[in-house]
Amino acid sequence: DGLARDAAKLARASGARAVILEEALVSPVLARAARTLGAVDLIELALEGGEDYELLVAAGPAFERSGVARSFRRVGFFEKGRGLSLRKTDGSTREIGERGFSHRG
């Protein structure tokens, strides 16, 4: 569970680098959850948490132009390379690993 875990899996399977956009992570739902939980790092909660039951979908430009895409939220993109990074709102990036909850024992 968690965006970072699933994005890393997609990147690895695609042979590409996934870049998650920090500004896309703090949604009204996440902000409400943070208020309920107390003082938490919203970005870390978005990257590692899984209790919001969101689905991660990788789609190309044709999908983004379709009417269906309006009901989705773009949280990042793929580029050449390997791994997973977070592009912060100031334009800098930081590597993030595959982290989150594993259902394996």
Side-chain angles (χ1 to χ4, degrees), residues 1-76:
D1 289 359
L3 175 60
R5 183 176 212 77
D6 290 343
K9 287 178 188 175
L10 278 174
R12 189 172 46 255
S14 302
R17 173 179 195 71
V19 179
I20 297 173
L21 302 169
E22 183 181 63
E23 70 265 9
L25 297 184
V26 183
S27 68
V29 171
L30 189 57
R32 216 171 22 255
R35 283 193 302 274
T36 302
L37 296 172
V40 297
D41 183 330
L42 292 177
I43 299 304
E44 295 306 311
L45 181 62
L47 292 173
E48 297 181 23
E51 297 306 317
D52 50 4
Y53 304 104
E54 298 288 338
L55 298 175
L56 182 61
V57 176
F63 178 79
E64 288 192 48
R65 289 189 298 270
S66 77
V68 175
R70 281 185 249 133
S71 62
F72 288 77
R73 181 184 186 100
R74 185 173 192 246
V75 296

